[in-house]
Amino acid sequence: MFEIFLGILTAFGGFVDIGDLVANSETGARFGMRLAWVVVVGVIGIVIFAEMAGRVATMSKRPVFDIVRERLGARWAFVNLGASFFINLLTVAAEIGGLALVIELVTGLNYLLWVPLLGIAVWIVLWKLRFSLMEKVFGLSGLTLIVTLFALWRLDPGLHRTVQTVGFAPPASEGWAVYAFFAIALLGAAMTPYEVFFFSSGAVEDHWTPKDLMVNRLNVYLGFPLGGILSLAIMGAAAVVFEPHGVSLSHLSQVTLPVSLAFGKIGLVLLLYGMFAAIFSAALETALSAGYTMSQFFGWQWGTFVKPREAARFHLVVLASVVVGILIALTTIDPILITEYSIVLAAAALPLTYLPILIVANDPMYMKDKVNSRPLNAIAFVFFVLLVIVSVATIPLMIITKAGA
Amino acid sequence: MRLADLIDSRIVDADGRDIGRVGDVWLIQNGPPIGVFGAALTVDALVIGRFGLASRAGYEREGVRGPAPIAWYLRRRTAHRQVVRWSDVLAIEEGRIRLRLREGDLGRPSIEDVRTTGRRVSAGLELLDRQLVDPDGMMAGKVDDLAIELKDGGAPPVVTEILAGPGALARRIGGTPGAWLASVDARLRGGSRDPAAISFGVVARIDDHVTLTVSREEVATFGFEEWVRDHVIEKIPGS
């Protein structure tokens, strides 16, 4: 019982990362709650995707990229590997850069100074700690982000002003193309592929059996929506503070402003602690995901459940991706910008990973009697169509809107 | 010959007409004994069509149903494909297979229809791209390709080896990325361009992965892993 509760809280605390922090704050400031529905759609999407991936991994012991390779074949899986790996590197860089920005806020020293130190810290934790332990420690610490929820309530008691801006169309000051572009960014932030690589590989590492499927469902069905509520609170807080003044966000310090306004220093400390923990755990997950995707494509031994010397190439890829992430972050390209690109491209690449999982989740050869139910298939198919549309629209929208500028 | 070369070969019927490509190969376990695997897999039939997502999704099998629109679309493209039994093959040429029959004489059975004698395996669906696992549960590469030995006198070809590693994969990826992968692999393996081969005689089982009876350290794909382990990972404290 306690284990289940812990799992839900871990999924909750681990839901938010730099992508959600940036995308939700940014859209809240520019669009009020007019894009809030996308967060709801995105959470439903990641719940469906992660539950299927977890169930496939439990029943067949095959994590996501194994399935991608089997179903897409050498050529398309290689294309997917290229895209996923590149986006994942950007995400590693964004998370490390985000961590450094948090420390810059605390210390006042330039973030570039912190990038190498934090990158190395991420790698040491990966090298030394077991998957399940680090997941719990950082996931639970990330729960202090709940302070945002209270801040929103304090700034806007009864949520009257927040609810006022809820809608399905852009405000008068913004066009439809920009609105659609940020919708994709929010979807990409909620449905980041690395979460699924990580989640399904974790199910194999922890030796889940069909008995654990119920726990899988509870974690996903409760933990992720709670994380979604947190994302909405971040959006709402930014909407209440910034939207009326037409301020657009360009720095992480602005993300923290609503909480500072509501609770002063104590609130800020809690928020920064939560942000650090949440982004740190995301940095761990993305670095591991680099190893998972590459190893599972080529069939190398992977995982943190064996000693590093027994999964040498896996650990080499993890190490290399942290190093490259540090180097990208050190280019002085704004980490916020890297984050924006990583989530938008992540949304565009989703169908290539989602489709194989959807197909295999229906295949009794892997799933025995645990294939998708009809209602689940109906929703899952609607999401597949949605993801394909998003994928086709992303690059044109990126060009038309100059990436939302 | 490699499975990848067989798949994608053009098929020409008795009238000299090109009737499509090989989209999948059905194997049957009735060949000469090969190690612990028992009877070897031999080529029983060639399926005409494209070796794409549709044939890899496996919707032509019984019991694979959802989601309905995807199942409907992919099944329409794979069900009732024409099937060439190996006994109807006249000759194998470079990238081309000649038949004794006319196109109109070919049947359209499903793999279940012919699943009567001996174990049948759809090479594209159940063997290619599967994970190799050793007796200790350690991962040992993928089934990147299969080596097939042609026999004289029209006897069915026998699957003799699993080809694993980037060298075997490169040909299937093709184009510039494939050439690049092949040259990286050749450099890592001291210039050898022959892909790493694992005898089918050490295969214990084929289910949702392929289980070997020998440790991964004894198969040819282990070289790169070993190099990385000895030269990088073991140099780091705490490995």
Side-chain angles (χ1 to χ4, degrees), chain A residues 10 19 24 57 96 108 125 165 171 201 203 327 332 340 359 367 405:
Chain A
T10 309
N24 286 287
I96 293 175
V125 171
T165 59
S201 303
L327 292 177
T332 75
E340 288 167 358
I359 290 173
M367 306 300 292

Side-chain angles (χ1 to χ4, degrees), chain B residues 29-46:
Chain B
Q29 196 177 357
N30 66 355
I34 183 164
V36 292
F37 185 64
L41 291 169
T42 65
V43 174
D44 184 55
L46 310 173

Side-chain angles (χ1 to χ4, degrees), chain A residues 44-282:
Chain A
I44 297 173
I46 191 70
V47 165
I48 291 173
F49 194 6
E51 191 277 327
M52 283 197 298
R55 185 155 38 91
V56 168
T58 305
M59 296 307 292
S60 69
K61 305 283 166 230
R62 303 264 74 86
V64 165
F65 231 82
D66 254 24
I67 302 288
V68 165
R69 171 76 197 270
E70 284 176 20
R71 294 293 129 152
L72 294 186
R75 210 169 288 168
W76 277 100
F78 194 62
V79 171
N80 189 356
L81 176 69
S84 295
F85 198 79
F86 171 71
I87 294 162
N88 204 66
L89 278 180
L90 284 185
T91 316
V92 173
E95 309 288 357
I96 293 175
L99 280 178
L101 286 178
V102 172
I103 300 299
E104 180 184 290
L105 290 180
V106 176
T107 60
L109 292 171
N110 190 290
Y111 82 97
L112 289 170
L113 194 69
W114 300 106
V115 163
L117 293 174
L118 288 162
I120 292 167
V122 165
W123 178 77
I124 288 175
V125 171
L126 286 172
W127 185 253
K128 277 290 174 199
L129 291 186
R130 242 188 85 98
F131 168 89
S132 48
L133 178 66
M134 59 202 187
E135 187 189 26
K136 278 175 191 131
V137 170
F138 290 100
L140 293 179
S141 305
L143 285 177
T144 54
L145 286 173
I146 297 173
V147 69
T148 317
L149 211 62
F150 293 107
L152 173 62
W153 191 265
R154 181 122 191 219
L155 293 168
D156 181 17
L159 301 181
H160 301 298
R161 278 187 291 157
T162 313
V163 173
Q164 252 173 29
T165 59
V166 170
F168 297 91
S173 55
E174 304 276 4
W176 276 99
V178 176
Y179 185 72
F181 180 78
F182 278 99
I184 292 175
L186 278 172
L187 191 73
M191 291 187 75
T192 22
Y194 80 79
E195 287 175 52
V196 181
F197 299 143
F198 175 74
F199 188 72
S200 70
S201 303
V204 177
E205 291 205 13
D206 287 351
H207 304 292
W208 282 14
T209 64
K211 278 188 215 141
D212 299 311
L213 283 178
M214 208 52 222
V215 181
N216 167 32
R217 288 214 175 106
L218 279 174
N219 283 351
V220 170
Y221 287 171
L222 292 174
F224 285 180
L226 285 170
I229 291 173
L230 203 53
S231 298
L232 285 174
I234 295 168
M235 184 187 271
V240 169
V241 172
F242 299 111
E243 208 247 351
H245 309 290
V247 176
S248 65
L249 297 191
S250 55
H251 195 266
L252 206 64
S253 63
Q254 292 166 298
V255 172
T256 63
L257 189 62
V259 174
S260 307
L261 286 176
F263 297 119
K265 271 209 176 113
I266 293 179
L268 183 64
V269 168
L270 281 175
L271 178 70
L272 289 175
Y273 176 73
M275 280 168 67
F276 185 82
I279 301 173
F280 203 97
S281 85

